[in-house]
Amino acid sequence: MMMWSNFFLQEENRRRGAAGRRRAQGQLGSGLTPEREGKVKLALLLAAVGATLAVLSVGTEFWVELNTYKANGSAVCEAAHLGLWKVCTKRLWQADVPAGRETCGPAELPGALCFSHLSIVLILVHGYVYRIDFHREQANCTYFKFFTTGENARIFQRTTKKEVNLAAAVIAVLGLAVMALGCLCIIMVLSKGAEFLLRVGAVCFGLSGLLLLVSLEVFRHSVRVLLQRVSPEPPPAPRLTYEYSWSLGCGVGAGLILLLGAGCFLLLTLPSWPWASLCPKRGHRAT
């Protein structure tokens, strides 16, 4: 009787040991090797640079600068810069504008000095104290109302077309959402070893890059529409020129870098045998 009980115990221990070895081998096979994990982290770093540029581009309002001409018979001129969410207008001293420019700008220049309620200067005349206030006029920024009330914005006697501006903003936000989903997929690959999510993350990053580039093109179209929609109401609309600024450049760079990151992730999903035949590893020669 004792012999049979020992036999069954040994058989049970053998089965448990074999099942444990199979589970360990399965976990080892599903995890990432250090070399593959390093490649995924490098691709994720590249995608993170694109994501940072994308957030910086969408969140700032220096997509395009609208400049009036300096020859207006005044010591000041007007300039504006806008993005997806708001527009900022500013009056500049013509003396501050570079001499080689025919138009007002750039928008980064400080505003013109004007009388206001800041920067106190005290003057004593006949026993009375008078206050004369000067300050540098800052940019007057307002959010577009077509996101809330549906009204078009008026910029230098010109009217926006809200449908085009809304389309550009919605496409950009969708690009950011898909980009966040791609980041989540790659984080799951690194933390849980779910390599099948590499392909999903690559598709998400590629789609987000395409959406950002499409948003930029739609925004460029909205700028051209804005310049053509001149209001007939007085005062007459000034002549304008426009130039794209650094926020739009960040968006272009973000779209291209995200597409490049998507390509890197797709390469990591391909089987290794085509690349191994092109780049064989060096081994010890048999003696």
Side-chain angles (χ1 to χ4, degrees), residues 212-272:
L212 283 175
L213 295 179
V214 171
S215 175
L216 296 176
E217 184 58 32
V218 175
F219 180 82
R220 290 177 66 247
H221 178 68
S222 71
V223 173
R224 293 193 292 268
V225 171
L226 171 65
L227 296 178
Q228 294 172 1
R229 292 167 61 92
V230 180
S231 174
E233 300 177 0
R239 292 189 304 155
L240 289 181
T241 61
Y242 69 95
E243 54 183 310
Y244 297 110
S245 192
W246 58 268
S247 293
L248 190 133
C250 289
V252 174
L256 296 178
I257 292 176
L258 287 173
L259 288 174
L260 181 60
C264 293
F265 286 124
L266 280 178
L267 288 178
L268 290 175
T269 62
L270 296 178
S272 59

Side-chain angles (χ1 to χ4, degrees), residues 48 70 185 189 200 219:
K70 293 167 59 178
C185 290
V189 171
V200 179
F219 180 82

Side-chain angles (χ1 to χ4, degrees), residues 3 36 52 85 99 104 110 138 140 150 198 201 219 227 235 254 260 279:
M3 181 183 66
R36 189 171 178 80
T52 303
W85 316 108
C104 195
Q138 302 298 322
N140 181 21
L198 268 178
F219 180 82
L227 296 178
L260 181 60
C279 303

Side-chain angles (χ1 to χ4, degrees), residues 49-60 176 179 212 250 254:
V49 173
T52 303
L53 290 176
V55 173
L56 180 63
S57 173
V58 175
T60 53
L176 292 184
M179 181 184 66
L212 283 175
C250 289

Side-chain angles (χ1 to χ4, degrees), residues 17 20 35 37 48 67 71 76 94 97 105 110 143 158 163 170 176 207 215 241 255 270:
E35 181 183 3
E37 183 179 355
N67 302 316
V76 295
Q94 293 203 19
V97 179
Y143 284 92
R158 290 167 172 83
E163 293 82 6
V170 169
L176 292 184
L207 182 58
S215 175
T241 61
L270 296 178

